[in-house]
Amino acid sequence: MKKRVISIFLGISLLLLAVVSFLLIQQMSMPSTNTRSNQENGTPQMGMTNNMGMDGEVTTELVPSNQESKELALPPLLEGTPSSDGGISYSITTQEGDTQFKEGNATQTFGYNGSYLGPVIRIRKDQKVTIRTENELNTATSFHWHGLKVPSNVDGGPHTPIEAGEAADLEFTVKQEAATLWFHPHPTGNTGEQVYQGLAGLIYIEDENYDNLAIPKEYGINDFPLIVQDRIFETDNQFNYSTAYSPDGTFGDTLVVNGTLNPYIDVKNEKVRLRLLNGSNARNYQFRLSNGNSFYQITSDGGFLNEPIPMESLQLVPGERAEIIVDLSSYSIGESIQLMEENVSVLTLNVTEETTEDIPPLPNTLNSISSGEEKETPDKEITFSGMGNMVAIDGKQFDMDRMDLRAKVGTKEVWKIDNAPDMMGGMIHPFHLHGVQFKVLNRNGEISPENEKGWKDTIALYPGESVEIEVEFPEKGIFMYHCHILEHEDNGMMGQVLVE
């Protein structure tokens, strides 16, 4: 009798195990429900899964600022030293300092050539550029030129750290079109903290096409950079990365734009250009206008789109950039509009002056980028998986002594990047590839959104999704690919490709 009861119990247990296993397999094979398609423009949109942690809840929600509105701080335009052959030289130094964000104690921060963030570096296509990089921090750092097509010894990844008190000179020739890029640290295991403390700056590339486009170009008048970040201020106004830290991404409850809380700009009733950078460690942003009106996206990461794309909202994951045009020509003096993230104001645009000039329409054509070529079988396939400290690419964590992929310089390849689902539902992994600007071919075999049909170096990978891209490396060397949630990167969600 006892043996019979045991046999029945074992049989029921095996049956339950089989059912649970079947359900888990079904869940993992289901397509992700984390994306919704905006019917008007096909842009991937996020629901409540926008910034999720392991427990399925938003890790740290943004709250509207109770600080008095301040005029948006503008990064200084760095003055370079021109050379007789048309080249230009710059000097960039990492520094520790104090920044007055709020009343009370100043916040201890890092910055480039200042206490927080960095200046705007302006360069031109085909120009020879020399940059002196110096490290005045008390720890090693590196200078990564995010989106710049340069040799790997200039790229500034974890292979080329600059120790405390040391300096390095780098030279390169600009070999890409007009774009808004950025620079930030990339030392092994310490990128998240150094960015959180304030290390981030912008790069503007200009070219002949840029010169000829009738778009806003007056810096601080109708052309504004917006470095959007989230931070937690402790009671003494300090950043404390160790207490804010999460292995699935460090979030803040306060929005900081160019180092400004609750910022505004005073503008004319004309077209205004906003150059958006998601400079956060982990948060995804869904930008929209407070009145629900459309705006136009004119660039993606690596330059101008072929034409302006009307948008009602725009998602940027960490590391992504986009430039948008907000048309204020129908506004009167005294009227305002806000750029929003959920219920939090990113920037208030106050119309304080009537324009006295005719406002030209946006050009119908901005660029001429051909479509990439798909293949029946991709040349490479990469799988992102895991969360927290268990993140991996192709089941492995970063090893500087291991070459994960190999490619040939000047050869076009199709890469398929997968984001493996898991029992917790998974999360977005922003995929970033060094040394190139690539083309997005498709998402889950379907045509990619219109605003992704330009040059990209960072893209959102949704749970359970596959994205195919066309890649061509212009330079030899070792280049990184990784998740741009900085804590995932620091935890080893990073690989490297040897280009020969």
Side-chain angles (χ1 to χ4, degrees):
M1 182 68 180
K2 189 174 181 180
K3 289 183 178 179
R4 184 179 177 186
V5 171
I6 293 173
S7 298
I8 294 172
F9 177 77
L10 288 174
I12 293 173
S13 298
L14 289 172
L15 179 61
L16 288 173
L17 180 62
V19 171
V20 171
S21 299
F22 174 78
L23 291 174
L24 287 175
I25 292 171
Q26 288 293 100
Q27 179 184 0
M28 293 179 69
S29 63
M30 288 175 64
S32 169
T33 58
N34 290 339
T35 59
R36 298 199 308 273
S37 177
N38 181 319
Q39 294 181 355
E40 181 161 341
N41 55 45
T43 306
Q45 300 225 357
M46 294 303 302
M48 285 303 292
T49 55
N50 197 15
N51 294 290
M52 292 283 188
M54 287 286 289
D55 58 359
E57 298 295 330
V58 175
T59 54
T60 304
E61 291 191 13
L62 288 174
V63 296
S65 174
N66 59 7
Q67 297 291 305
E68 181 181 356
S69 187
K70 292 183 179 180
E71 187 170 9
L72 177 73
L74 292 175
L77 297 171
L78 189 61
E79 293 297 327
T81 303
S83 59
S84 58
D85 60 359
I88 194 164
S89 299
Y90 291 107
S91 180
I92 300 289
T93 302
T94 57
Q95 299 174 316
E96 297 183 23
D98 295 323
T99 303
Q100 195 73 51
F101 294 101
K102 311 168 73 171
E103 291 184 4
N105 294 334
T107 307
Q108 296 176 12
T109 52
F110 292 170
Y112 294 111
N113 294 12
S115 68
Y116 191 72
L117 299 180
V120 177
I121 300 173
R122 292 175 296 177
I123 53 181
R124 289 190 65 85
K125 185 178 180 182
D126 299 324
Q127 186 175 42
K128 183 179 178 181
V129 179
T130 302
I131 302 179
R132 173 78 169 178
T133 56
E134 300 183 56
N135 180 17
E136 292 185 358
L137 305 179
N138 60 8
T139 186
T141 191
S142 73
F143 293 74
H144 170 50
W145 314 98
H146 184 124
L148 203 58
K149 296 161 70 171
V150 290
S152 62
N153 64 332
V154 176
D155 179 64
H159 301 84
T160 53
I162 300 178
E163 299 298 328
E166 295 188 357
D169 295 314
L170 57 93
E171 292 184 354
F172 61 91
T173 299
V174 183
K175 297 181 179 180
Q176 60 199 100
E177 61 191 60
T180 299
L181 311 179
W182 68 304
F183 59 99
H184 61 80
H186 208 303
T188 302
N190 203 25
T191 299
E193 182 170 8
Q194 292 190 4
V195 171
Y196 194 83
Q197 288 297 124
L199 290 183
L202 292 168
I203 306 168
Y204 287 2
I205 300 179
E206 298 174 0
D207 61 9
E208 187 175 346
N209 179 47
Y210 172 88
D211 296 340
N212 294 329
L213 289 176
I215 58 174
K217 298 175 185 173
E218 295 181 85
Y219 188 77
I221 304 297
N222 56 20
D223 181 358
F224 297 87
L226 299 182
I227 303 174
V228 184
Q229 301 171 309
D230 57 334
R231 297 289 184 268
I232 290 178
F233 290 88
E234 298 204 328
T235 53
D236 59 354
N237 288 347
Q238 301 308 308
F239 298 153
N240 190 330
Y241 182 75
S242 61
T243 58
Y245 173 83
S246 167
D248 264 324
T250 298
F251 293 80
D253 58 7
T254 302
L255 204 60
V256 185
V257 183
N258 295 358
T260 311
L261 303 182
N262 199 15
Y264 71 86
I265 54 176
D266 291 335
V267 293
K268 298 178 182 179
N269 56 346
E270 60 180 351
K271 291 183 176 67
V272 175
R273 177 184 183 186
L274 303 178
R275 305 192 192 209
L276 296 164
L277 159 64
N278 182 344
S280 293
N281 286 41
R283 186 177 295 276
N284 308 311
Y285 294 103
Q286 193 80 32
F287 297 107
R288 62 177 179 85
L289 295 178
S290 55
N291 60 3
N293 284 358
S294 297
F295 49 83
Y296 288 90
Q297 183 176 347
I298 61 171
T299 77
S300 53
D301 294 326
F304 288 102
L305 297 166
N306 283 343
E307 59 188 24
I309 307 296
M311 309 281 287
E312 291 181 358
S313 64
L314 168 65
Q315 178 180 274
L316 293 182
V317 296
E320 269 191 304
R321 287 92 59 214
E323 298 177 26
I324 65 173
I325 300 292
V326 181
D327 190 350
L328 301 175
S329 57
S330 64
Y331 285 62
S332 301
I333 291 178
E335 293 186 314
S336 299
I337 191 172
Q338 292 175 308
L339 182 70
M340 304 291 293
E341 153 61 30
E342 296 290 342
N343 67 330
V344 176
S345 174
V346 179
L347 177 71
T348 299
L349 293 80
N350 298 319
V351 177
T352 59
E353 186 179 349
E354 292 272 356
T355 184
T356 58
E357 301 177 0
D358 292 333
I359 303 173
L362 283 177
N364 292 325
T365 301
L366 300 168
N367 209 344
S368 57
I369 303 172
S370 61
S371 299
E373 298 180 8
E374 300 194 32
K375 295 183 178 180
E376 289 188 12
T377 303
D379 299 288
K380 292 177 174 59
E381 186 165 355
I382 303 167
T383 300
F384 280 50
S385 63
M387 301 174 76
N389 294 314
M390 302 302 291
V391 291
I393 300 178
D394 295 332
K396 298 173 288 188
Q397 294 194 334
F398 177 60
D399 181 349
M400 195 177 292
D401 296 325
R402 183 188 67 231
M403 290 300 117
D404 300 285
L405 299 173
R406 293 178 183 271
K408 290 185 177 181
V409 67
T411 300
K412 291 181 180 179
E413 294 186 340
V414 172
W415 289 19
K416 182 181 179 185
I417 308 119
D418 302 315
N419 183 355
D422 56 42
M423 290 185 292
M424 300 298 293
M427 61 187 300
I428 293 176
H429 291 296
F431 169 82
H432 172 51
L433 178 59
H434 289 211
V436 300
Q437 290 291 331
F438 54 76
K439 296 177 181 178
V440 180
L441 300 176
N442 64 71
R443 286 183 174 270
N444 287 329
E446 298 181 359
I447 297 174
S448 58
E450 289 298 317
N451 67 327
E452 286 189 341
K453 293 182 179 179
W455 293 113
K456 295 288 293 174
D457 56 56
T458 307
I459 53 171
L461 292 178
Y462 297 91
E465 184 178 46
S466 294
V467 176
E468 291 191 358
I469 63 174
E470 182 185 86
V471 177
E472 181 180 355
F473 287 94
E475 301 282 353
K476 295 181 179 181
I478 299 171
F479 296 95
M480 314 307 301
Y481 56 93
H482 58 86
C483 176
H484 218 281
I485 294 175
L486 299 184
E487 287 69 30
H488 283 183
E489 172 188 325
D490 285 340
N491 290 338
M493 200 171 202
M494 186 160 57
Q496 49 190 356
V497 52
L498 174 62
V499 182
E500 301 172 300

